[in-house]
Amino acid sequence: MSPNLVLIVVVGVLFAAGVYLLLERSLTRVLVGVILIGNGVNTLFLVASGPAGRAPIVGLNDVDDMSDPLPQALVLTAIVITLGVTAFLLAMAYRAWQLNGNDEVQDDVEDASIRRRADRDEVSSSYDDSAGGTMDEEGADDPSAEGEPAGVGPEGER
């Protein structure tokens, strides 16, 4: 039993083209990339399932001649997942088109400022190295580091 070389090349081309399109900034191209990768996964399941066989009904056919039903179930699951992700990305692209007039994904402002700070080797204004503690989400020190008791009493007060 040897796998079909043409199908293996098709899987490789579908994955390569899908990953290339996923790296683009246009949501339409990302959508096409997701569809290509979904089709590549489905073809990969067909290649991995082996040769076609008889219907997997016990008692009707010999066990050695039956096809494996698991790859068929995985392909159906992959089709449903790809359809859901496609619908979500299509809705995102349509909404971006309504708001901006294009479907280009813009840079996040906060990510750009973090990148600039990293390039200039600066630290954030909420970072205080002298405290010696860790910061919470708002950038404040841990309340237990300020001398307040960290535990909660039996009535719920600090």
Side-chain angles (χ1 to χ4, degrees):
M1 177 179 117
S2 65
N4 190 347
L5 187 61
V6 174
L7 286 179
I8 293 174
V9 170
V10 166
V11 168
V13 168
L14 286 173
F15 271 98
V19 168
Y20 176 77
L21 289 173
L22 277 178
L23 298 175
E24 294 289 327
R25 301 199 51 97
S26 170
L27 285 176
T28 306
R29 291 182 181 182
V30 170
L31 175 67
V32 173
V34 167
I35 292 171
L36 286 177
I37 288 178
N39 288 329
V41 167
N42 293 341
T43 309
L44 179 65
F45 283 142
L46 289 176
V47 170
S49 67
R54 298 193 175 264
I57 302 172
V58 177
L60 184 64
N61 298 315
D62 188 29
V63 176
D64 296 333
D65 295 336
M66 289 184 194
S67 63
D68 189 10
L70 181 64
Q72 298 170 15
L74 290 175
V75 166
L76 286 174
T77 305
I79 288 170
V80 170
I81 291 171
T82 303
L83 179 67
V85 172
T86 300
F88 177 70
L89 284 173
L90 191 60
M92 282 181 38
Y94 179 69
R95 185 64 178 158
W97 182 267
Q98 281 182 332
L99 294 175
N100 304 328
N102 60 16
D103 65 344
E104 296 287 322
V105 177
Q106 302 297 321
D107 281 336
D108 187 22
V109 177
E110 197 63 33
D111 285 344
S113 81
I114 290 171
R115 188 179 324 114
R116 281 193 302 272
R117 281 190 186 138
D119 289 341
R120 292 186 298 225
D121 200 23
E122 293 178 0
V123 295
S124 174
S125 62
S126 64
Y127 179 73
D128 184 16
D129 192 28
S130 65
T134 59
M135 304 291 178
D136 63 2
E137 290 84 13
E138 287 81 28
D141 285 333
D142 188 22
S144 62
E146 295 176 3
E148 296 178 8
V152 177
E155 286 81 28
E157 75 273 353
R158 287 188 162 253

